[in-house]
Amino acid sequence: MTDYSGGGDAPVLEIRNLYKSFGALKATDDVSLTLMPGEIHALIGPNGAGKSTLIRQICGEFEPDHGSVHFLGNDLKNSGVADRAQLGLGRTFQISSLALEFSALRNVMLAVQSTSGSSFKFFKPVMKDQPLVDAAMSFLGKVEMQSRANVPAAELSHGERRKLEMAIALALKPKAFVLDEPMAGMGPEGSKALTGFLSDLRHQAPILLVEHDMDAVFALADRISVLVYGQIIASGTVDEIRGNSVVRTAYLGEDA
Amino acid sequence: MLNYSRETILNTVLTLLLLGIPFAALAIDEPFYVTLATRVTIFALAGVGLNFALGLGGLISFGHAAFFGLGGYAVGILASHALNYEPLMSSPFEIEGTTQMVILWGVAMIVSGLAALIIGLFSLRTSGVYFIMITLAFAQMIYYFAISWPAYGGEDGLPIYVRNGFPGVNTLVPINFFMISFGVLMLAILLVAVLRNSRFGAALQAARQNEDRLSAVGIKPFYIRLAAFVISAMITGLAGALFADLNRFVSPSMLSWHTSGEIMVFVILGGVGRLFGPVAGAALFILFEFIFGGLTEHWMFFLGLVLLAVVLFARGGLIGTIAGKVRYD
C-alpha cells in the first residue's frame, strides 16, 4: 500500500506527458506535473495558455490525445467526470456551476448524498433525512454560509456562489482539490479571507490551484508551474519562479 | 410559503372537481359525463407519467405514445387470448391470457418499462432536439410495426369484447370504472410526490438544472435519467392499459405521434413539473375538445392558439399562472 494520507512521497495526482490539440492549436503540449500530499501546487499562465483545457482533462471532461492522468495510483483513462469525483477529485468551476433552482443547502446535500450511500433511494424525503441535512449544514458553516442555507442558488451573490462551490467541494471529502480560479471576482477582502481558508485546507487534502491573483499565489503556493502556449515553461518554488527571467518576460512583467 | 399553500388549494379543488363531476352527472342523469371524466382521468395519468420525465428530469420525450400504446396492446392482446381460450404461447411452457385488470396492469407496466429501458439506453445518450427526434423515431417504429402486424388487428385495431375485471367490482358500470381510474391516478400522483422529495428526485431535478454539477459531485446523470425514463414510461403505460379498457378497443392510433403530442399538451397546458399539472391540462384539453369540437371540426386550430399563448405568456401553464413558480424547501 502506498501512503497517500500526507507526508509520503507518492504523488496524489500525477499528469504524464499530456497532449491535446484543437485543430492546429496545441492547447496542451507535453504537460507533466505532480501534486504531492499536503501541498498547494499553483498553475499560472496568461489567458489562453491552456489552463482550463488542462483542468478539464484532469477532471474528465476532455479526453487527452496522448498521455495519462493518475490519481491515487489509478490511471483515470476510463473514468468519467462522476467516477473521478467518486474517487476523490474535488473540483470547483471557474464560473460557478450550481443547481440554480435549489437552495444553497440542497446544493450541498447533493454532494453529501453522493458520498454517503446511493442516489437510488426512492422513498425517504431528503429534507427529513437529518444526518444528510446536518452534514450539509456543517459544510455550509465552514464557508460561513449557514445563514443563507435556504436561499435559492440563483438568488445568491457572486461571492456567495463562490463560497457555495467551495462548500460543495468540501462536502465531497476529496483526496485532492482542483480549484479553478477560486478568487475570480471576489474582491480584495474576499480574496484575503479565501487565502487564509485555502492555507488551512491543504492539510485536509492537497490543492491544485489555478489562479490569476498573484498575491494569493505567492502567499499560498508550495510550488508553482507556469503554463504558456500549452507548455510548462517553468516549475519551482515561489522564489525560483520569481527569480526566473524567462517567466518574468513571458508572464509576470518587469515589476514582479 | 404562500405559493405553496395556493398550489395545495388549487390541487385540492382540481381533485374534488374531478371526483365530483361524474357523481353530479349521475344525479342529473347525464351518464355521458362520467365517461368524459374517465377520459380526463386516464389522460391525466398518461400526463403524470410524461411529466415525471419532462417536468422533473427535463427529458422532452416525444415518444410517450409508444408506452401508452404498448400498455394498451398488452391489455388487448392478453384479453383477446383469454376470451378466445387460446394460450398466448404453449411451448416451452404455457402462458394463458387473462381478463384480470390488476394482472394486466402489471404486464402493461413491465412491457412499457422494458421498452423504455431499451429506448432510453439509446436516446438518453443524446440531448436536446436529438433526444426529441430519437424518442419520436422509436415510437413511430412501434406504430408502423403495429399497423403491419395482422395477428392483432393491424390497421383496424383490436377490440376487447368485455371490459376486464377487478376483484369485487362490476367494471362495466361506468362510475365504477371511473373510481378505479381515479384511484390509480391519485396513487400515481402520490408516488411522483414521494419520488420528487427523495434522494433520487433530488438527483433527477439536479440533472435537469445542471448536469455538469451533478457529475462533478459524483452522480452519473445517465443512470438517474434512465431510471426516471423507465418509471415515467410505466406510469404512461398504465394509463394506456386503462384507456384500452375504457374504449374496449386498442388501435395503432394510440401509438402515433399525435398521441405523443397530446400527452405533451396535457403537461404544458397544466404546468410543466407541477404535481397536478397533467390533471389540469387533461381537463382543459377535454373541455376544449368537448366545447369547440361541437362547434367546428377545426377545434385543434383553436387549441393550437391557446397552446401558443400558454408557451408565450403563461409558461407555468394553468397551475404556474395561478400558484406562481416552484419553490424548493
Short mmCIF file of all heavy atoms in Angstrom, two decimals, chain B residues 118-182:
data_model
loop_
_atom_site.label_atom_id
_atom_site.label_comp_id
_atom_site.label_asym_id
_atom_site.label_seq_id
_atom_site.Cartn_x
_atom_site.Cartn_y
_atom_site.Cartn_z
N ILE B 118 -34.92 0.02 -23.17
CA ILE B 118 -34.19 -0.11 -24.45
C ILE B 118 -34.12 1.25 -25.16
O ILE B 118 -33.05 1.69 -25.58
CB ILE B 118 -34.87 -1.16 -25.34
CG1 ILE B 118 -34.75 -2.54 -24.68
CG2 ILE B 118 -34.24 -1.17 -26.73
CD1 ILE B 118 -35.69 -3.58 -25.24
N ILE B 119 -35.27 1.93 -25.26
CA ILE B 119 -35.28 3.23 -25.94
C ILE B 119 -34.37 4.21 -25.20
O ILE B 119 -33.61 4.96 -25.81
CB ILE B 119 -36.72 3.78 -26.04
CG1 ILE B 119 -37.57 2.87 -26.93
CG2 ILE B 119 -36.73 5.21 -26.56
CD1 ILE B 119 -39.05 3.23 -26.97
N GLY B 120 -34.44 4.17 -23.87
CA GLY B 120 -33.63 5.09 -23.06
C GLY B 120 -32.14 4.85 -23.23
O GLY B 120 -31.36 5.80 -23.27
N LEU B 121 -31.74 3.58 -23.32
CA LEU B 121 -30.31 3.28 -23.46
C LEU B 121 -29.73 3.97 -24.69
O LEU B 121 -28.58 4.40 -24.69
CB LEU B 121 -30.11 1.77 -23.58
CG LEU B 121 -30.03 0.99 -22.26
CD1 LEU B 121 -29.99 -0.50 -22.52
CD2 LEU B 121 -28.81 1.41 -21.46
N PHE B 122 -30.55 4.07 -25.73
CA PHE B 122 -30.07 4.76 -26.94
C PHE B 122 -30.30 6.26 -26.85
O PHE B 122 -29.39 7.06 -27.04
CB PHE B 122 -30.79 4.21 -28.18
CG PHE B 122 -30.37 2.81 -28.52
CD1 PHE B 122 -31.14 1.72 -28.14
CD2 PHE B 122 -29.20 2.59 -29.23
CE1 PHE B 122 -30.74 0.43 -28.44
CE2 PHE B 122 -28.79 1.30 -29.54
CZ PHE B 122 -29.57 0.22 -29.14
N SER B 123 -31.54 6.65 -26.54
CA SER B 123 -31.90 8.06 -26.69
C SER B 123 -31.25 8.94 -25.63
O SER B 123 -30.96 10.10 -25.89
CB SER B 123 -33.42 8.22 -26.66
OG SER B 123 -33.93 7.77 -25.42
N LEU B 124 -31.02 8.40 -24.43
CA LEU B 124 -30.50 9.25 -23.35
C LEU B 124 -29.02 9.58 -23.51
O LEU B 124 -28.47 10.34 -22.73
CB LEU B 124 -30.76 8.60 -22.00
CG LEU B 124 -32.22 8.63 -21.58
CD1 LEU B 124 -32.48 7.72 -20.40
CD2 LEU B 124 -32.65 10.05 -21.25
N ARG B 125 -28.39 8.99 -24.54
CA ARG B 125 -27.02 9.41 -24.83
C ARG B 125 -27.01 10.72 -25.60
O ARG B 125 -25.96 11.32 -25.81
CB ARG B 125 -26.30 8.33 -25.64
CG ARG B 125 -26.14 7.09 -24.81
CD ARG B 125 -25.41 5.97 -25.50
NE ARG B 125 -25.55 4.77 -24.71
CZ ARG B 125 -24.84 4.51 -23.62
NH1 ARG B 125 -23.94 5.36 -23.22
NH2 ARG B 125 -25.06 3.40 -22.94
N THR B 126 -28.17 11.14 -26.04
CA THR B 126 -28.27 12.42 -26.75
C THR B 126 -29.05 13.39 -25.87
O THR B 126 -29.57 13.02 -24.83
CB THR B 126 -29.04 12.26 -28.07
OG1 THR B 126 -30.39 11.92 -27.76
CG2 THR B 126 -28.43 11.18 -28.92
N SER B 127 -29.12 14.62 -26.31
CA SER B 127 -29.95 15.57 -25.58
C SER B 127 -30.54 16.56 -26.57
O SER B 127 -30.26 16.52 -27.75
CB SER B 127 -29.11 16.29 -24.52
OG SER B 127 -28.07 17.00 -25.15
N GLY B 128 -31.40 17.42 -26.03
CA GLY B 128 -31.99 18.48 -26.85
C GLY B 128 -32.84 17.92 -27.97
O GLY B 128 -33.57 16.95 -27.79
N VAL B 129 -32.69 18.50 -29.14
CA VAL B 129 -33.57 18.16 -30.26
C VAL B 129 -33.31 16.72 -30.72
O VAL B 129 -34.21 16.05 -31.22
CB VAL B 129 -33.40 19.19 -31.40
CG1 VAL B 129 -32.13 18.96 -32.18
CG2 VAL B 129 -34.60 19.18 -32.32
N TYR B 130 -32.10 16.21 -30.53
CA TYR B 130 -31.80 14.83 -30.93
C TYR B 130 -32.58 13.84 -30.08
O TYR B 130 -33.08 12.83 -30.57
CB TYR B 130 -30.30 14.56 -30.84
CG TYR B 130 -29.51 15.47 -31.74
CD1 TYR B 130 -28.87 16.59 -31.24
CD2 TYR B 130 -29.47 15.24 -33.12
CE1 TYR B 130 -28.17 17.46 -32.07
CE2 TYR B 130 -28.77 16.09 -33.95
CZ TYR B 130 -28.13 17.20 -33.42
OH TYR B 130 -27.46 18.05 -34.25
N PHE B 131 -32.67 14.16 -28.80
CA PHE B 131 -33.45 13.29 -27.91
C PHE B 131 -34.92 13.27 -28.35
O PHE B 131 -35.54 12.21 -28.43
CB PHE B 131 -33.33 13.78 -26.46
CG PHE B 131 -34.11 12.95 -25.49
CD1 PHE B 131 -33.64 11.70 -25.10
CD2 PHE B 131 -35.32 13.40 -24.99
CE1 PHE B 131 -34.37 10.92 -24.21
CE2 PHE B 131 -36.05 12.63 -24.11
CZ PHE B 131 -35.57 11.39 -23.72
N ILE B 132 -35.44 14.44 -28.66
CA ILE B 132 -36.83 14.53 -29.11
C ILE B 132 -37.03 13.65 -30.35
O ILE B 132 -37.98 12.87 -30.44
CB ILE B 132 -37.20 16.00 -29.44
CG1 ILE B 132 -37.07 16.87 -28.19
CG2 ILE B 132 -38.59 16.10 -30.04
CD1 ILE B 132 -37.28 18.36 -28.45
N MET B 133 -36.09 13.76 -31.30
CA MET B 133 -36.23 13.05 -32.57
C MET B 133 -36.06 11.54 -32.39
O MET B 133 -36.77 10.76 -33.02
CB MET B 133 -35.18 13.57 -33.57
CG MET B 133 -35.52 14.92 -34.13
SD MET B 133 -37.08 14.84 -35.03
CE MET B 133 -37.92 16.25 -34.37
N ILE B 134 -35.14 11.12 -31.52
CA ILE B 134 -34.93 9.68 -31.36
C ILE B 134 -36.12 9.04 -30.66
O ILE B 134 -36.58 7.96 -31.04
CB ILE B 134 -33.61 9.40 -30.61
CG1 ILE B 134 -32.43 9.80 -31.49
CG2 ILE B 134 -33.51 7.93 -30.24
CD1 ILE B 134 -31.08 9.53 -30.87
N THR B 135 -36.65 9.72 -29.65
CA THR B 135 -37.83 9.14 -28.99
C THR B 135 -38.99 9.06 -29.97
O THR B 135 -39.73 8.07 -30.01
CB THR B 135 -38.23 9.98 -27.75
OG1 THR B 135 -38.29 11.35 -28.10
CG2 THR B 135 -37.23 9.80 -26.63
N LEU B 136 -39.13 10.09 -30.81
CA LEU B 136 -40.18 10.08 -31.83
C LEU B 136 -39.97 8.91 -32.80
O LEU B 136 -40.91 8.18 -33.13
CB LEU B 136 -40.17 11.41 -32.60
CG LEU B 136 -41.06 11.48 -33.83
CD1 LEU B 136 -42.53 11.38 -33.45
CD2 LEU B 136 -40.82 12.78 -34.61
N ALA B 137 -38.71 8.72 -33.21
CA ALA B 137 -38.42 7.67 -34.19
C ALA B 137 -38.75 6.28 -33.63
O ALA B 137 -39.36 5.46 -34.31
CB ALA B 137 -36.94 7.74 -34.59
N PHE B 138 -38.39 6.04 -32.38
CA PHE B 138 -38.70 4.74 -31.77
C PHE B 138 -40.21 4.52 -31.70
O PHE B 138 -40.72 3.43 -32.00
CB PHE B 138 -38.10 4.64 -30.37
CG PHE B 138 -36.69 4.10 -30.35
CD1 PHE B 138 -35.62 4.95 -30.12
CD2 PHE B 138 -36.45 2.76 -30.57
CE1 PHE B 138 -34.32 4.45 -30.10
CE2 PHE B 138 -35.16 2.25 -30.56
CZ PHE B 138 -34.09 3.11 -30.33
N ALA B 139 -40.93 5.56 -31.31
CA ALA B 139 -42.38 5.43 -31.20
C ALA B 139 -42.99 5.14 -32.57
O ALA B 139 -43.89 4.30 -32.70
CB ALA B 139 -42.97 6.70 -30.59
N GLN B 140 -42.50 5.81 -33.61
CA GLN B 140 -43.04 5.59 -34.95
C GLN B 140 -42.73 4.17 -35.44
O GLN B 140 -43.54 3.56 -36.14
CB GLN B 140 -42.49 6.63 -35.93
CG GLN B 140 -43.05 8.02 -35.71
CD GLN B 140 -44.56 8.08 -35.91
OE1 GLN B 140 -45.31 7.98 -34.94
NE2 GLN B 140 -45.03 8.22 -37.14
N MET B 141 -41.55 3.66 -35.06
CA MET B 141 -41.21 2.28 -35.43
C MET B 141 -42.25 1.32 -34.86
O MET B 141 -42.74 0.41 -35.55
CB MET B 141 -39.83 1.91 -34.88
CG MET B 141 -38.68 2.28 -35.79
SD MET B 141 -37.10 2.22 -34.91
CE MET B 141 -37.09 0.56 -34.30
N ILE B 142 -42.59 1.52 -33.59
CA ILE B 142 -43.56 0.63 -32.95
C ILE B 142 -44.93 0.82 -33.60
O ILE B 142 -45.67 -0.15 -33.82
CB ILE B 142 -43.59 0.89 -31.43
CG1 ILE B 142 -42.21 0.58 -30.83
CG2 ILE B 142 -44.67 0.05 -30.76
CD1 ILE B 142 -42.07 0.96 -29.37
N TYR B 143 -45.24 2.06 -33.93
CA TYR B 143 -46.52 2.36 -34.59
C TYR B 143 -46.65 1.60 -35.91
O TYR B 143 -47.65 0.93 -36.16
CB TYR B 143 -46.61 3.88 -34.81
CG TYR B 143 -47.73 4.33 -35.71
CD1 TYR B 143 -49.06 4.25 -35.29
CD2 TYR B 143 -47.46 4.88 -36.97
CE1 TYR B 143 -50.09 4.69 -36.11
CE2 TYR B 143 -48.48 5.32 -37.79
CZ TYR B 143 -49.79 5.22 -37.36
OH TYR B 143 -50.81 5.65 -38.17
N TYR B 144 -45.62 1.68 -36.74
CA TYR B 144 -45.69 1.00 -38.04
C TYR B 144 -45.66 -0.51 -37.88
O TYR B 144 -46.28 -1.24 -38.67
CB TYR B 144 -44.57 1.49 -38.97
CG TYR B 144 -44.87 2.87 -39.51
CD1 TYR B 144 -44.13 3.97 -39.14
CD2 TYR B 144 -45.97 3.05 -40.36
CE1 TYR B 144 -44.44 5.24 -39.61
CE2 TYR B 144 -46.30 4.32 -40.83
CZ TYR B 144 -45.52 5.40 -40.46
OH TYR B 144 -45.84 6.64 -40.92
N PHE B 145 -44.97 -0.96 -36.83
CA PHE B 145 -45.00 -2.40 -36.56
C PHE B 145 -46.43 -2.85 -36.25
O PHE B 145 -46.91 -3.86 -36.78
CB PHE B 145 -44.06 -2.72 -35.40
CG PHE B 145 -43.98 -4.19 -35.08
CD1 PHE B 145 -43.22 -5.03 -35.87
CD2 PHE B 145 -44.70 -4.72 -34.02
CE1 PHE B 145 -43.16 -6.39 -35.59
CE2 PHE B 145 -44.65 -6.07 -33.74
CZ PHE B 145 -43.88 -6.91 -34.52
N ALA B 146 -47.11 -2.09 -35.41
CA ALA B 146 -48.48 -2.45 -35.02
C ALA B 146 -49.40 -2.45 -36.24
O ALA B 146 -50.27 -3.32 -36.40
CB ALA B 146 -49.00 -1.48 -33.96
N ILE B 147 -49.22 -1.47 -37.13
CA ILE B 147 -50.06 -1.38 -38.32
C ILE B 147 -49.86 -2.59 -39.23
O ILE B 147 -50.80 -3.11 -39.82
CB ILE B 147 -49.71 -0.08 -39.10
CG1 ILE B 147 -50.44 1.10 -38.46
CG2 ILE B 147 -50.08 -0.21 -40.56
CD1 ILE B 147 -50.35 2.36 -39.28
N SER B 148 -48.62 -3.07 -39.30
CA SER B 148 -48.33 -4.10 -40.29
C SER B 148 -48.36 -5.51 -39.70
O SER B 148 -47.97 -6.45 -40.36
CB SER B 148 -46.94 -3.82 -40.91
OG SER B 148 -45.99 -3.80 -39.88
N TRP B 149 -48.80 -5.64 -38.48
CA TRP B 149 -48.84 -6.96 -37.84
C TRP B 149 -50.28 -7.44 -37.79
O TRP B 149 -51.04 -7.05 -36.91
CB TRP B 149 -48.25 -6.86 -36.43
CG TRP B 149 -47.86 -8.18 -35.86
CD1 TRP B 149 -47.58 -9.33 -36.52
CD2 TRP B 149 -47.74 -8.49 -34.46
NE1 TRP B 149 -47.27 -10.34 -35.65
CE2 TRP B 149 -47.35 -9.86 -34.38
CE3 TRP B 149 -47.91 -7.77 -33.28
CZ2 TRP B 149 -47.16 -10.49 -33.15
CZ3 TRP B 149 -47.71 -8.40 -32.07
CH2 TRP B 149 -47.32 -9.75 -32.00
N PRO B 150 -50.68 -8.30 -38.74
CA PRO B 150 -52.11 -8.62 -38.87
C PRO B 150 -52.65 -9.46 -37.71
O PRO B 150 -53.87 -9.45 -37.47
CB PRO B 150 -52.17 -9.40 -40.19
CG PRO B 150 -50.79 -9.89 -40.43
CD PRO B 150 -49.86 -8.94 -39.77
N ALA B 151 -51.79 -10.16 -36.97
CA ALA B 151 -52.28 -11.08 -35.95
C ALA B 151 -53.19 -10.38 -34.93
O ALA B 151 -54.14 -10.97 -34.42
CB ALA B 151 -51.10 -11.74 -35.25
N TYR B 152 -52.87 -9.12 -34.62
CA TYR B 152 -53.67 -8.41 -33.62
C TYR B 152 -54.37 -7.20 -34.22
O TYR B 152 -54.39 -6.11 -33.67
CB TYR B 152 -52.81 -8.02 -32.42
CG TYR B 152 -52.28 -9.24 -31.72
CD1 TYR B 152 -50.94 -9.59 -31.79
CD2 TYR B 152 -53.15 -10.07 -30.99
CE1 TYR B 152 -50.48 -10.73 -31.17
CE2 TYR B 152 -52.69 -11.21 -30.38
CZ TYR B 152 -51.34 -11.55 -30.47
OH TYR B 152 -50.89 -12.68 -29.85
N GLY B 153 -54.95 -7.40 -35.40
CA GLY B 153 -55.83 -6.38 -35.98
C GLY B 153 -55.16 -5.44 -36.94
O GLY B 153 -55.84 -4.78 -37.72
N GLY B 154 -53.84 -5.35 -36.90
CA GLY B 154 -53.14 -4.44 -37.81
C GLY B 154 -53.73 -3.05 -37.74
O GLY B 154 -53.96 -2.52 -36.66
N GLU B 155 -54.00 -2.50 -38.92
CA GLU B 155 -54.50 -1.14 -39.02
C GLU B 155 -55.88 -0.97 -38.37
O GLU B 155 -56.22 0.11 -37.91
CB GLU B 155 -54.60 -0.78 -40.50
CG GLU B 155 -54.11 0.60 -40.81
CD GLU B 155 -54.00 0.80 -42.31
OE1 GLU B 155 -53.89 -0.20 -43.06
OE2 GLU B 155 -54.03 1.94 -42.73
N ASP B 156 -56.65 -2.07 -38.33
CA ASP B 156 -58.02 -1.96 -37.84
C ASP B 156 -58.11 -1.94 -36.32
O ASP B 156 -59.15 -1.61 -35.77
CB ASP B 156 -58.85 -3.15 -38.34
CG ASP B 156 -58.90 -3.17 -39.86
OD1 ASP B 156 -58.88 -2.07 -40.44
OD2 ASP B 156 -58.94 -4.27 -40.44
N GLY B 157 -57.04 -2.29 -35.67
CA GLY B 157 -57.08 -2.32 -34.21
C GLY B 157 -57.68 -3.61 -33.70
O GLY B 157 -58.04 -4.51 -34.46
N LEU B 158 -57.77 -3.68 -32.38
CA LEU B 158 -58.13 -4.93 -31.73
C LEU B 158 -59.24 -4.64 -30.71
O LEU B 158 -59.03 -3.90 -29.76
CB LEU B 158 -56.87 -5.45 -31.02
CG LEU B 158 -56.92 -6.77 -30.29
CD1 LEU B 158 -57.19 -7.91 -31.26
CD2 LEU B 158 -55.59 -6.99 -29.59
N PRO B 159 -60.41 -5.23 -30.90
CA PRO B 159 -61.48 -4.98 -29.93
C PRO B 159 -61.33 -5.86 -28.68
O PRO B 159 -60.76 -6.95 -28.74
CB PRO B 159 -62.75 -5.35 -30.70
CG PRO B 159 -62.31 -6.29 -31.75
CD PRO B 159 -60.86 -6.04 -32.03
N ILE B 160 -61.80 -5.34 -27.55
CA ILE B 160 -61.86 -6.12 -26.31
C ILE B 160 -63.35 -6.26 -26.01
O ILE B 160 -64.00 -5.28 -25.67
CB ILE B 160 -61.14 -5.38 -25.17
CG1 ILE B 160 -59.69 -5.08 -25.54
CG2 ILE B 160 -61.21 -6.19 -23.87
CD1 ILE B 160 -59.01 -4.07 -24.62
N TYR B 161 -63.89 -7.48 -26.16
CA TYR B 161 -65.35 -7.60 -26.19
C TYR B 161 -66.01 -7.33 -24.85
O TYR B 161 -67.11 -6.83 -24.76
CB TYR B 161 -65.75 -8.97 -26.75
CG TYR B 161 -65.35 -9.07 -28.20
CD1 TYR B 161 -64.26 -9.85 -28.58
CD2 TYR B 161 -66.03 -8.35 -29.18
CE1 TYR B 161 -63.85 -9.90 -29.91
CE2 TYR B 161 -65.63 -8.40 -30.51
CZ TYR B 161 -64.55 -9.18 -30.87
OH TYR B 161 -64.15 -9.21 -32.17
N VAL B 162 -65.30 -7.71 -23.77
CA VAL B 162 -65.86 -7.47 -22.44
C VAL B 162 -64.80 -6.73 -21.62
O VAL B 162 -63.62 -7.08 -21.68
CB VAL B 162 -66.19 -8.81 -21.73
CG1 VAL B 162 -66.82 -8.54 -20.37
CG2 VAL B 162 -67.11 -9.65 -22.61
N ARG B 163 -65.25 -5.68 -20.91
CA ARG B 163 -64.26 -4.96 -20.10
C ARG B 163 -63.67 -5.91 -19.06
O ARG B 163 -64.39 -6.71 -18.48
CB ARG B 163 -64.90 -3.75 -19.43
CG ARG B 163 -63.88 -2.88 -18.73
CD ARG B 163 -64.46 -1.58 -18.19
NE ARG B 163 -64.69 -0.61 -19.25
CZ ARG B 163 -65.52 0.41 -19.15
NH1 ARG B 163 -66.22 0.57 -18.04
NH2 ARG B 163 -65.68 1.26 -20.14
N ASN B 164 -62.38 -5.79 -18.84
CA ASN B 164 -61.69 -6.69 -17.91
C ASN B 164 -62.16 -6.47 -16.48
O ASN B 164 -62.73 -5.43 -16.15
CB ASN B 164 -60.19 -6.50 -18.04
CG ASN B 164 -59.69 -6.94 -19.40
OD1 ASN B 164 -59.81 -8.11 -19.76
ND2 ASN B 164 -59.18 -6.01 -20.20
N GLY B 165 -61.90 -7.46 -15.66
CA GLY B 165 -62.48 -7.47 -14.32
C GLY B 165 -61.56 -6.95 -13.25
O GLY B 165 -60.34 -6.92 -13.38
N PHE B 166 -62.19 -6.49 -12.16
CA PHE B 166 -61.46 -6.02 -10.99
C PHE B 166 -62.13 -6.68 -9.80
O PHE B 166 -63.36 -6.70 -9.71
CB PHE B 166 -61.54 -4.50 -10.90
CG PHE B 166 -60.62 -3.90 -9.87
CD1 PHE B 166 -59.31 -3.56 -10.19
CD2 PHE B 166 -61.07 -3.68 -8.58
CE1 PHE B 166 -58.47 -3.01 -9.25
CE2 PHE B 166 -60.23 -3.13 -7.62
CZ PHE B 166 -58.92 -2.80 -7.96
N PRO B 167 -61.34 -7.24 -8.86
CA PRO B 167 -61.95 -8.02 -7.77
C PRO B 167 -63.03 -7.23 -7.02
O PRO B 167 -62.78 -6.14 -6.53
CB PRO B 167 -60.76 -8.31 -6.84
CG PRO B 167 -59.56 -8.18 -7.70
CD PRO B 167 -59.88 -7.20 -8.77
N GLY B 168 -64.23 -7.79 -6.98
CA GLY B 168 -65.29 -7.21 -6.17
C GLY B 168 -65.99 -6.02 -6.79
O GLY B 168 -66.83 -5.39 -6.14
N VAL B 169 -65.67 -5.70 -8.05
CA VAL B 169 -66.28 -4.50 -8.66
C VAL B 169 -66.84 -4.89 -10.02
O VAL B 169 -66.21 -5.62 -10.78
CB VAL B 169 -65.22 -3.39 -8.85
CG1 VAL B 169 -65.85 -2.14 -9.47
CG2 VAL B 169 -64.55 -3.05 -7.54
N ASN B 170 -68.02 -4.39 -10.33
CA ASN B 170 -68.54 -4.56 -11.68
C ASN B 170 -68.01 -3.43 -12.55
O ASN B 170 -68.50 -2.30 -12.50
CB ASN B 170 -70.08 -4.54 -11.66
CG ASN B 170 -70.64 -4.70 -13.07
OD1 ASN B 170 -69.88 -4.81 -14.05
ND2 ASN B 170 -71.95 -4.72 -13.18
N THR B 171 -66.98 -3.75 -13.33
CA THR B 171 -66.26 -2.69 -14.06
C THR B 171 -67.09 -2.15 -15.22
O THR B 171 -66.75 -1.10 -15.77
CB THR B 171 -64.93 -3.23 -14.62
OG1 THR B 171 -65.21 -4.38 -15.41
CG2 THR B 171 -63.97 -3.56 -13.51
N LEU B 172 -68.15 -2.86 -15.60
CA LEU B 172 -68.95 -2.37 -16.72
C LEU B 172 -69.80 -1.17 -16.35
O LEU B 172 -70.27 -0.44 -17.22
CB LEU B 172 -69.83 -3.50 -17.27
CG LEU B 172 -69.05 -4.48 -18.15
CD1 LEU B 172 -69.87 -5.73 -18.44
CD2 LEU B 172 -68.63 -3.82 -19.46
N VAL B 173 -70.01 -0.97 -15.04
CA VAL B 173 -70.72 0.23 -14.59
C VAL B 173 -69.75 1.41 -14.70
O VAL B 173 -68.69 1.39 -14.09
CB VAL B 173 -71.19 0.07 -13.13
CG1 VAL B 173 -71.89 1.34 -12.65
CG2 VAL B 173 -72.10 -1.15 -13.01
N PRO B 174 -70.11 2.42 -15.51
CA PRO B 174 -69.14 3.49 -15.79
C PRO B 174 -68.57 4.15 -14.53
O PRO B 174 -67.37 4.41 -14.47
CB PRO B 174 -69.96 4.50 -16.61
CG PRO B 174 -70.99 3.67 -17.28
CD PRO B 174 -71.34 2.58 -16.31
N ILE B 175 -69.40 4.40 -13.53
CA ILE B 175 -68.89 5.11 -12.36
C ILE B 175 -67.88 4.25 -11.61
O ILE B 175 -66.92 4.76 -11.03
CB ILE B 175 -70.05 5.57 -11.43
CG1 ILE B 175 -69.53 6.54 -10.37
CG2 ILE B 175 -70.73 4.39 -10.77
CD1 ILE B 175 -69.25 7.92 -10.89
N ASN B 176 -68.08 2.93 -11.66
CA ASN B 176 -67.10 2.04 -11.01
C ASN B 176 -65.75 2.11 -11.70
O ASN B 176 -64.71 2.17 -11.06
CB ASN B 176 -67.60 0.60 -11.03
CG ASN B 176 -68.80 0.40 -10.11
OD1 ASN B 176 -69.13 1.29 -9.33
ND2 ASN B 176 -69.43 -0.76 -10.20
N PHE B 177 -65.81 2.09 -13.04
CA PHE B 177 -64.56 2.15 -13.77
C PHE B 177 -63.89 3.51 -13.58
O PHE B 177 -62.67 3.61 -13.47
CB PHE B 177 -64.79 1.87 -15.26
CG PHE B 177 -63.50 1.78 -16.04
CD1 PHE B 177 -62.59 0.77 -15.77
CD2 PHE B 177 -63.20 2.72 -17.02
CE1 PHE B 177 -61.39 0.69 -16.46
CE2 PHE B 177 -62.00 2.64 -17.72
CZ PHE B 177 -61.10 1.63 -17.44
N PHE B 178 -64.72 4.56 -13.48
CA PHE B 178 -64.15 5.87 -13.18
C PHE B 178 -63.41 5.84 -11.85
O PHE B 178 -62.29 6.34 -11.74
CB PHE B 178 -65.24 6.96 -13.13
CG PHE B 178 -64.74 8.25 -12.54
CD1 PHE B 178 -64.00 9.14 -13.30
CD2 PHE B 178 -64.97 8.56 -11.19
CE1 PHE B 178 -63.49 10.30 -12.74
CE2 PHE B 178 -64.47 9.73 -10.64
CZ PHE B 178 -63.73 10.61 -11.42
N MET B 179 -64.03 5.26 -10.83
CA MET B 179 -63.43 5.25 -9.50
C MET B 179 -62.10 4.48 -9.49
O MET B 179 -61.15 4.87 -8.83
CB MET B 179 -64.40 4.66 -8.46
CG MET B 179 -65.54 5.59 -8.08
SD MET B 179 -64.99 7.24 -7.58
CE MET B 179 -64.14 6.85 -6.05
N ILE B 180 -62.07 3.38 -10.26
CA ILE B 180 -60.80 2.63 -10.36
C ILE B 180 -59.72 3.52 -10.97
O ILE B 180 -58.61 3.65 -10.45
CB ILE B 180 -61.01 1.35 -11.21
CG1 ILE B 180 -61.88 0.35 -10.46
CG2 ILE B 180 -59.67 0.73 -11.58
CD1 ILE B 180 -62.32 -0.84 -11.30
N SER B 181 -60.07 4.19 -12.08
CA SER B 181 -59.10 5.05 -12.77
C SER B 181 -58.66 6.19 -11.86
O SER B 181 -57.48 6.56 -11.81
CB SER B 181 -59.71 5.62 -14.05
OG SER B 181 -60.19 4.59 -14.86
N PHE B 182 -59.64 6.77 -11.17
CA PHE B 182 -59.34 7.88 -10.28
C PHE B 182 -58.38 7.45 -9.17
O PHE B 182 -57.42 8.15 -8.85
CB PHE B 182 -60.66 8.42 -9.68
CG PHE B 182 -60.47 9.61 -8.78
CD1 PHE B 182 -60.34 10.88 -9.31
CD2 PHE B 182 -60.45 9.46 -7.40
CE1 PHE B 182 -60.18 11.98 -8.48
CE2 PHE B 182 -60.28 10.54 -6.57
CZ PHE B 182 -60.13 11.81 -7.11
#
